[in-house]
Amino acid sequence: GQQVMQIPQYQHVQEGEDFTTYCNSSTTLSNIQWYKQRPGGHPVFLIQLVKSGEVKKQKRLTFQFGEAKKNSSLHITATQTTDVGTYFCAGQESNYQLIWGAGTKLIIKP
Amino acid sequence: GAVVSQHPSWVICKSGTSVKIECRSLDFQATTMFWYRQFPKQSLMLMATSNEGSKATYEQGVEKDKFLINHASLTLSTLTVTSAHPEDSSFYICSASLTSGSSDTQYFGPGTRLTVL
Protein backbone atom coordinates (compact mmCIF):
# COMPACT_ATOMS: atom_id res chain seq x y z
CA GLY A 1 0.00 0.00 0.00
CA GLN A 2 0.92 3.64 -0.07
CA GLN A 3 3.64 4.60 2.37
CA VAL A 4 5.48 7.68 3.43
CA MET A 5 8.85 7.00 4.94
CA GLN A 6 10.21 9.70 7.23
CA ILE A 7 13.77 9.85 8.48
CA PRO A 8 15.45 10.14 10.84
CA GLN A 9 13.30 8.92 13.70
CA TYR A 10 15.26 11.08 16.18
CA GLN A 11 17.75 13.86 15.82
CA HIS A 12 19.78 15.31 18.64
CA VAL A 13 21.29 18.72 17.92
CA GLN A 14 23.02 21.41 19.89
CA GLU A 15 21.07 24.62 20.10
CA GLY A 16 22.06 26.72 17.12
CA GLU A 17 22.71 23.78 14.83
CA ASP A 18 20.55 22.99 11.85
CA PHE A 19 17.96 20.22 11.62
CA THR A 20 16.50 18.42 8.64
CA THR A 21 13.83 15.76 8.28
CA TYR A 22 13.01 13.95 5.05
CA CYS A 23 9.91 12.26 3.71
CA ASN A 24 9.67 9.90 0.75
CA SER A 25 6.43 8.60 -0.69
CA SER A 26 5.97 5.39 -2.61
CA THR A 27 3.42 7.14 -4.81
CA THR A 28 3.01 10.57 -6.38
CA LEU A 29 1.22 12.94 -4.06
CA SER A 30 -1.21 15.74 -4.79
CA ASN A 31 0.20 17.65 -1.85
CA ILE A 32 2.22 17.20 1.29
CA GLN A 33 1.57 18.76 4.66
CA TRP A 34 3.84 19.34 7.61
CA TYR A 35 2.85 19.37 11.26
CA LYS A 36 4.62 20.04 14.53
CA GLN A 37 3.68 18.31 17.74
CA ARG A 38 5.13 19.67 20.96
CA PRO A 39 5.69 17.23 23.84
CA GLY A 40 2.30 16.57 25.40
CA GLY A 41 0.54 18.50 22.65
CA HIS A 42 -1.21 17.69 19.40
CA PRO A 43 -0.25 18.27 15.79
CA VAL A 44 -0.23 21.86 14.66
CA PHE A 45 -0.46 22.48 10.94
CA LEU A 46 2.62 24.23 9.58
CA ILE A 47 2.30 24.28 5.82
CA GLN A 48 0.99 22.59 2.70
CA LEU A 49 3.06 22.18 -0.46
CA VAL A 50 1.25 21.55 -3.72
CA LYS A 51 3.47 22.38 -6.67
CA SER A 52 6.27 20.29 -8.07
CA GLY A 53 9.62 21.68 -6.93
CA GLU A 54 7.96 24.13 -4.54
CA VAL A 55 10.05 25.77 -1.83
CA LYS A 56 8.44 27.73 0.98
CA LYS A 57 9.96 29.50 3.94
CA GLN A 58 8.58 30.39 7.34
CA LYS A 59 11.25 32.34 9.22
CA ARG A 60 13.91 29.71 10.02
CA LEU A 61 11.94 26.84 8.47
CA THR A 62 12.37 25.87 4.83
CA PHE A 63 10.04 23.36 3.21
CA GLN A 64 10.69 21.67 -0.13
CA PHE A 65 8.55 19.49 -2.36
CA GLY A 66 10.39 17.38 -4.91
CA GLU A 67 10.03 17.66 -8.64
CA ALA A 68 8.34 14.27 -8.84
CA LYS A 69 6.04 15.16 -5.92
CA LYS A 70 7.20 12.09 -4.04
CA ASN A 71 9.63 13.56 -1.55
CA SER A 72 9.76 16.51 0.76
CA SER A 73 12.00 17.98 3.40
CA LEU A 74 11.82 20.37 6.30
CA HIS A 75 14.96 22.22 7.27
CA ILE A 76 15.32 24.36 10.39
CA THR A 77 18.23 26.76 10.53
CA ALA A 78 19.86 27.57 13.87
CA THR A 79 17.55 25.58 16.09
CA GLN A 80 16.15 27.06 19.27
CA THR A 81 14.70 25.36 22.33
CA THR A 82 11.24 26.33 21.13
CA ASP A 83 11.74 24.07 18.10
CA VAL A 84 11.67 20.95 20.26
CA GLY A 85 8.97 18.49 19.27
CA THR A 86 8.05 15.89 16.71
CA TYR A 87 7.70 16.93 13.08
CA PHE A 88 5.33 14.93 10.91
CA CYS A 89 4.84 14.97 7.20
CA ALA A 90 1.55 13.76 5.75
CA GLY A 91 1.09 13.11 2.07
CA GLN A 92 -2.30 13.49 0.52
CA GLU A 93 -3.53 11.74 -2.56
CA SER A 94 -6.54 12.58 -4.63
CA ASN A 95 -8.86 10.62 -2.35
CA TYR A 96 -8.11 13.07 0.47
CA GLN A 97 -6.73 10.46 2.84
CA LEU A 98 -3.54 11.37 4.60
CA ILE A 99 -0.53 9.10 4.56
CA TRP A 100 1.47 9.98 7.63
CA GLY A 101 5.18 9.73 8.12
CA ALA A 102 6.29 8.27 11.43
CA GLY A 103 7.61 11.61 12.60
CA THR A 104 11.06 12.92 13.48
CA LYS A 105 11.66 13.89 17.06
CA LEU A 106 13.92 16.92 17.44
CA ILE A 107 15.85 16.92 20.69
CA ILE A 108 18.00 19.86 21.71
CA LYS A 109 21.09 18.79 23.65
CA PRO A 110 21.77 20.84 26.79
CA GLY B 1 6.14 -0.04 11.74
CA ALA B 2 2.94 0.62 13.62
CA VAL B 3 -0.08 1.08 11.39
CA VAL B 4 -3.41 2.67 12.14
CA SER B 5 -6.33 2.22 9.79
CA GLN B 6 -9.65 3.98 9.54
CA HIS B 7 -12.85 2.85 7.94
CA PRO B 8 -14.55 4.11 5.93
CA SER B 9 -12.16 6.43 4.13
CA TRP B 10 -15.06 8.61 3.02
CA VAL B 11 -18.77 8.66 3.60
CA ILE B 12 -21.70 10.69 2.35
CA CYS B 13 -24.87 10.62 4.35
CA LYS B 14 -28.19 12.39 4.64
CA SER B 15 -28.86 14.90 7.37
CA GLY B 16 -30.28 13.23 10.46
CA THR B 17 -28.60 9.88 10.00
CA SER B 18 -25.80 8.44 12.14
CA VAL B 19 -22.37 7.51 10.89
CA LYS B 20 -19.85 5.21 12.56
CA ILE B 21 -16.12 5.56 11.93
CA GLU B 22 -13.71 2.84 13.01
CA CYS B 23 -10.11 3.28 14.04
CA ARG B 24 -7.90 0.23 14.34
CA SER B 25 -4.32 -0.26 15.40
CA LEU B 26 -3.27 -3.10 13.13
CA ASP B 27 -0.09 -4.43 14.66
CA PHE B 28 0.01 -3.08 18.17
CA GLN B 29 -2.21 -2.59 21.16
CA ALA B 30 -3.18 0.94 22.01
CA THR B 31 -4.51 1.75 25.44
CA THR B 32 -5.18 5.29 24.31
CA MET B 33 -6.64 6.54 21.07
CA PHE B 34 -7.39 10.11 20.08
CA TRP B 35 -10.06 11.51 17.80
CA TYR B 36 -9.45 14.71 15.88
CA ARG B 37 -11.38 16.89 13.52
CA GLN B 38 -9.61 18.83 10.82
CA PHE B 39 -10.69 21.59 8.48
CA PRO B 40 -8.64 22.23 5.34
CA LYS B 41 -5.13 23.51 6.03
CA GLN B 42 -5.80 23.74 9.72
CA SER B 43 -4.40 21.99 12.74
CA LEU B 44 -5.89 18.85 14.10
CA MET B 45 -8.49 19.78 16.69
CA LEU B 46 -8.65 17.24 19.47
CA MET B 47 -12.19 16.10 20.10
CA ALA B 48 -11.72 13.38 22.67
CA THR B 49 -9.29 10.95 24.25
CA SER B 50 -10.42 7.37 24.28
CA ASN B 51 -9.12 4.88 26.82
CA GLU B 52 -9.80 1.17 26.48
CA GLY B 53 -12.50 0.00 28.83
CA SER B 54 -13.43 3.41 30.17
CA LYS B 55 -15.41 6.45 29.13
CA ALA B 56 -13.85 8.87 26.71
CA THR B 57 -12.65 12.26 27.86
CA TYR B 58 -14.13 14.99 25.69
CA GLU B 59 -12.59 18.38 25.01
CA GLN B 60 -14.48 21.48 25.94
CA GLY B 61 -17.16 22.31 23.41
CA VAL B 62 -17.45 18.79 22.01
CA GLU B 63 -20.88 17.26 22.59
CA LYS B 64 -20.44 13.78 24.00
CA ASP B 65 -24.01 12.80 23.14
CA LYS B 66 -23.45 13.75 19.54
CA PHE B 67 -20.00 12.22 19.10
CA LEU B 68 -20.19 8.81 20.74
CA ILE B 69 -16.88 7.10 21.32
CA ASN B 70 -16.45 3.46 22.15
CA HIS B 71 -13.05 1.90 22.85
CA ALA B 72 -14.07 -1.71 23.26
CA SER B 73 -10.68 -3.31 22.75
CA LEU B 74 -7.00 -2.45 22.67
CA THR B 75 -7.07 -2.31 18.88
CA LEU B 76 -10.41 -0.69 18.09
CA SER B 77 -12.07 2.61 18.83
CA THR B 78 -15.20 3.87 17.12
CA LEU B 79 -16.61 7.35 16.69
CA THR B 80 -20.32 7.62 15.93
CA VAL B 81 -21.63 10.94 14.70
CA THR B 82 -25.27 10.85 15.70
CA SER B 83 -27.99 12.77 13.88
CA ALA B 84 -25.41 14.25 11.55
CA HIS B 85 -25.93 17.70 10.09
CA PRO B 86 -24.11 19.54 7.29
CA GLU B 87 -21.98 21.42 9.82
CA ASP B 88 -20.55 18.06 10.92
CA SER B 89 -19.00 17.62 7.48
CA SER B 90 -15.29 17.43 8.05
CA PHE B 91 -12.19 15.27 7.99
CA TYR B 92 -11.98 13.04 11.06
CA ILE B 93 -8.61 11.58 12.05
CA CYS B 94 -7.78 9.12 14.79
CA SER B 95 -4.45 8.30 16.32
CA ALA B 96 -3.28 5.49 18.56
CA SER B 97 -0.68 5.78 21.24
CA LEU B 98 2.04 3.16 21.57
CA THR B 99 3.97 3.09 24.81
CA SER B 100 7.51 1.78 24.72
CA GLY B 101 9.43 2.09 27.93
CA SER B 102 9.05 5.64 29.10
CA SER B 103 8.05 7.13 25.76
CA ASP B 104 4.72 7.40 23.98
CA THR B 105 4.51 7.59 20.21
CA GLN B 106 1.38 8.55 18.34
CA TYR B 107 0.49 6.92 15.06
CA PHE B 108 -2.11 8.59 12.90
CA GLY B 109 -4.83 7.07 10.78
CA PRO B 110 -5.45 8.17 7.19
CA GLY B 111 -8.63 10.01 8.07
CA THR B 112 -12.29 9.75 7.14
CA ARG B 113 -13.98 12.41 5.08
CA LEU B 114 -17.58 12.88 6.15
CA THR B 115 -19.98 14.81 3.95
CA VAL B 116 -23.48 15.38 5.27
CA LEU B 117 -26.02 16.45 2.69
Side-chain angles (χ1 to χ4, degrees), chain A residues 35 37 42 45 96-98 100, chain B residues 9 36 38 43 106 109-111:
Chain A
Y35 296 81
Q37 183 177 23
H42 297 284
F45 176 83
Y96 299 114
Q97 285 202 300
L98 290 172
W100 291 84
Chain B
S9 55
Y36 298 89
Q38 186 190 33
S43 301
Q106 264 187 289

Side-chain angles (χ1 to χ4, degrees), chain A residues 58-73:
Chain A
Q58 290 179 351
K59 296 183 181 178
R60 294 179 294 104
L61 277 61
T62 302
F63 303 84
Q64 293 188 324
F65 199 12
E67 294 288 342
K69 299 182 74 173
K70 285 187 172 184
N71 59 290
S72 182
S73 65

Side-chain angles (χ1 to χ4, degrees), chain A residues 2-109:
Chain A
Q2 303 100 336
Q3 288 185 34
V4 171
M5 302 298 294
Q6 186 172 1
I7 57 169
Q9 188 177 3
Y10 299 94
Q11 189 162 6
H12 294 77
V13 301
Q14 296 278 6
E15 188 175 3
E17 290 182 340
D18 293 354
F19 160 82
T20 307
T21 172
Y22 302 89
C23 285
N24 284 291
S25 169
S26 58
T27 58
T28 302
L29 302 168
S30 63
N31 69 75
I32 194 158
Q33 301 165 25
W34 285 92
Y35 296 81
K36 176 184 178 182
Q37 183 177 23
R38 291 181 182 273
H42 297 284
V44 171
F45 176 83
L46 295 177
I47 207 162
Q48 177 175 293
L49 304 174
V50 179
K51 297 178 183 176
S52 168
E54 189 169 16
V55 178
K56 285 189 176 180
K57 291 191 175 185
Q58 290 179 351
K59 296 183 181 178
R60 294 179 294 104
L61 277 61
T62 302
F63 303 84
Q64 293 188 324
F65 199 12
E67 294 288 342
K69 299 182 74 173
K70 285 187 172 184
N71 59 290
S72 182
S73 65
L74 158 59
H75 179 82
I76 303 177
T77 304
T79 55
Q80 299 174 359
T81 55
T82 53
D83 296 325
V84 163
T86 301
Y87 292 84
F88 291 94
C89 64
Q92 195 164 41
E93 296 187 336
S94 56
N95 67 355
Y96 299 114
Q97 285 202 300
L98 290 172
I99 311 163
W100 291 84
T104 296
K105 187 175 283 189
L106 171 58
I107 300 160
I108 306 284
K109 292 187 276 191

